[in-house]
Amino acid sequence: MTNNVANKIVVITGASSGLGAEAARHLAALGATVVLGARREDRIKALAEKITSEGGKALAVETDVKDRESVQNLIDTAVKTYGRIDVLLNNAGVMPLSPLENLRVDEWDLMVDVNIKGVLYGIAAALPHMKAQKSGQIINVSSVAGHHVFQNSAVYSATKFAVRALSEGLRAEVKPYNLRTTIISPGAVQSELLNSVHDEATAEQLQSFVPGIAISADSFARCVAFAISQPEDVDINEILFRPTKQQL
C-alpha cells in the first residue's frame, strides 16, 4: 500500500482533530507530505511539529473553508512549497443536528457553508493545478447520512447527499484530465462532530448510543490510504463504512 502513498503531496481540510488529524498522521507515516488546513492554527501547528519530529513531512496553513480566498491560499501554498498537489482531502465538516421545526437557521447556513461550499471551494482551488498536471485525486467526505436520512438529520443529510452528487458530477467531468475522485462516507466514528450538536434533546439522544458504537478515527485514515494507494489506473469512487455494531 505504501508505494503509491509515499512522496505524494496531500492537502487536508479540517485537519486539527478527529478524522482529518488521524488521516494526516497515518498518511505521513506512509511517507506522504501532508499540508494541514484548519481554523485552529495552534492545533495544526502542533500536529505538524509532531509529525515532523517523528520523521514525517508536514506543513500547517490556517484555513477557514467558509472563505474561498482562505481555501485558495491553502492550495496555492501547497503548490508553491512543493511544486504540485497530488491529493485534496475535503474533510472539514460540521453536524449541528436538530429538528427542522426548531428553526435553527443559523446552523443550517453553517452546514451549507462548510459541508457544501467548503468542498466546492476546495475543488475550485485544486482543479486548475490538477488539470495542468494531468494527475491528481480529490477525496470528498460524505457520511452514512448522505445515504440515509435519520431523525433530525434533514439539513445535514441534505448537505452530505449534495457532496455525493457533486463528487459524481466531478468524476464524470475530469476523465479527460486523468484525475481520480473518491467519496468516503463514514458511519459512527470517534470525532468532535457530536460537540457541534447544540439542540439539547438531539444531543442527549446521540450521546445515549453513539459513543458506545463509534469506532476509532484510524478506520477512516485507512480508508483514505486505501483509496490513494491504488495504481493510477484504478479509481476508487466510493467507500461507505460503518462500525460493525451500527444498525442505521
Side-chain angles (χ1 to χ4, degrees):
M1 178 183 291
T2 61
N3 288 343
N4 210 31
V5 175
N7 301 316
K8 286 199 167 178
I9 311 302
V10 182
V11 178
I12 304 172
T13 65
S16 61
S17 65
L19 308 188
E22 190 59 37
R25 285 188 283 265
H26 188 66
L27 295 174
L30 294 175
T33 296
V34 292
V35 181
L36 314 176
R39 289 180 298 109
R40 293 178 290 186
E41 187 177 18
D42 57 331
R43 297 279 290 269
I44 54 173
K45 281 187 172 180
L47 178 56
E49 290 171 1
K50 175 70 171 173
I51 289 171
T52 302
S53 71
E54 294 174 350
K57 296 179 181 179
L59 174 67
V61 182
E62 183 180 5
T63 306
D64 183 352
V65 299
K66 301 190 303 299
D67 183 336
R68 181 179 177 182
E69 291 184 0
S70 181
V71 178
Q72 187 71 53
N73 177 65
L74 170 66
I75 301 299
D76 289 349
T77 298
V79 174
K80 182 178 179 180
T81 305
Y82 300 109
R84 68 184 194 278
I85 172 175
D86 296 311
V87 181
L88 168 62
L89 175 56
N90 273 318
N91 166 74
V94 291
M95 192 185 71
L97 304 179
S98 65
L100 287 171
E101 65 180 343
N102 288 5
L103 302 180
R104 301 179 77 99
V105 178
D106 288 345
E107 294 181 347
W108 302 352
D109 289 340
L110 178 64
M111 283 186 277
V112 170
D113 288 344
V114 174
N115 299 353
I116 301 177
K117 293 172 70 175
V119 169
L120 286 170
Y121 291 160
I123 292 169
L127 191 53
H129 295 293
M130 292 183 175
K131 284 175 61 178
Q133 297 167 178
K134 291 293 181 71
S135 68
Q137 183 172 12
I138 295 177
I139 302 175
N140 296 329
V141 179
S142 180
S143 169
V144 165
H147 295 256
H148 173 73
V149 182
F150 51 89
Q151 186 178 10
N152 300 337
S153 79
V155 178
Y156 179 68
S157 287
T159 65
K160 293 303 186 178
F161 271 87
V163 168
R164 292 181 59 223
L166 289 168
S167 300
E168 174 57 17
L170 178 67
R171 182 201 64 78
E173 291 185 20
V174 299
K175 296 300 97 180
Y177 311 112
N178 194 42
L179 306 187
R180 304 193 296 174
T181 63
T182 303
I183 309 163
I184 299 184
S185 298
V189 176
Q190 294 168 7
S191 72
E192 294 184 356
L193 273 181
L194 290 185
N195 296 340
S196 66
V197 180
H198 302 299
D199 182 78
E200 291 185 7
T202 303
E204 182 177 348
Q205 179 189 35
L206 292 171
Q207 290 290 350
S208 70
F209 75 92
V210 171
I213 66 170
I215 51 179
S216 64
D218 69 326
S219 60
F220 171 80
R222 293 195 304 272
C223 288
V224 172
F226 172 77
I228 296 173
S229 70
Q230 301 306 304
E232 295 300 325
D233 62 348
V234 177
D235 195 7
I236 301 296
N237 298 133
E238 186 159 13
I239 298 172
L240 168 61
F241 74 100
R242 298 173 171 89
T244 304
K245 295 180 180 179
Q246 183 171 344
Q247 183 178 32
L248 294 176

